[in-house]
Amino acid sequence: MFQFGRNDLLIEVYIRDLLALVNSKSYIKLTDLYNKLGSYLRALETLGVTTSNYAAMLYPVVETCLPVEILKAWDRYRLNREVKEDPVLIKEKVLENLMSFLRHEVEGEEHRVLAETAFGSGIFPI
């Protein structure tokens, strides 16, 4: 897309893509949202925008993309931590932990869908 060291423009493109997710009013499946967020964050990381350095900027953007029910679950998970030094609460790791939480939510959703549909399909998992 861009040539010869135009990382600054690529960074702008990925940040704009993240912001487009925030501004999107249409429903997006959690799996698709997780995949897009992960893709954009990995792309930014390869361009030097590491989550440890830019978590303060990226975290609110990513958090704003989340559906309300997932945001509530994340808040419950994060706020129910008893130890203040817990890695979930460390500012530099909060974005990584949010993405890990989302991965678990996506895996759980996939498992629930499989459990709900497995017997109706005639396919029995081994």
Side-chain angles (χ1 to χ4, degrees):
M1 182 176 190
F2 299 105
Q3 298 178 6
F4 309 112
R6 295 305 314 247
N7 288 353
D8 57 332
L9 289 177
L10 284 172
I11 291 169
E12 284 184 34
V13 167
Y14 291 119
I15 294 294
R16 289 175 195 275
D17 287 344
L18 278 170
L19 292 173
L21 282 176
V22 172
N23 292 328
S24 174
K25 299 298 180 196
S26 61
Y27 172 78
I28 183 170
K29 285 179 23 181
L30 184 60
T31 303
D32 295 338
L33 178 62
Y34 172 76
N35 289 336
K36 284 183 179 190
L37 287 172
S39 175
Y40 298 153
L41 292 174
R42 283 188 301 278
L44 287 168
E45 184 110 7
T46 63
L47 295 168
V49 181
T50 60
T51 55
S52 60
N53 291 336
Y54 294 97
M57 177 187 71
L58 293 174
Y59 174 75
V61 173
V62 171
E63 190 180 50
T64 303
C65 295
L66 301 178
V68 173
E69 65 276 358
I70 299 299
L71 188 55
K72 287 179 182 179
W74 167 246
D75 283 340
R76 280 191 303 272
Y77 174 78
R78 186 174 49 94
L79 295 173
N80 285 332
R81 307 305 277 195
E82 292 184 24
V83 182
K84 293 294 181 198
E85 293 81 29
D86 192 310
V88 171
L89 302 176
I90 296 174
K91 294 278 187 208
E92 295 80 24
K93 298 285 185 183
V94 71
L95 184 56
E96 290 174 40
N97 290 318
L98 175 57
M99 291 305 293
S100 177
F101 173 81
L102 287 176
R103 180 175 46 85
H104 291 294
E105 288 293 309
V106 166
E107 290 169 355
E109 181 64 26
E110 290 171 348
H111 181 76
R112 282 187 295 279
V113 167
L114 178 63
E116 291 173 358
T117 60
F119 290 112
S121 66
I123 299 172
F124 297 99
I126 298 177

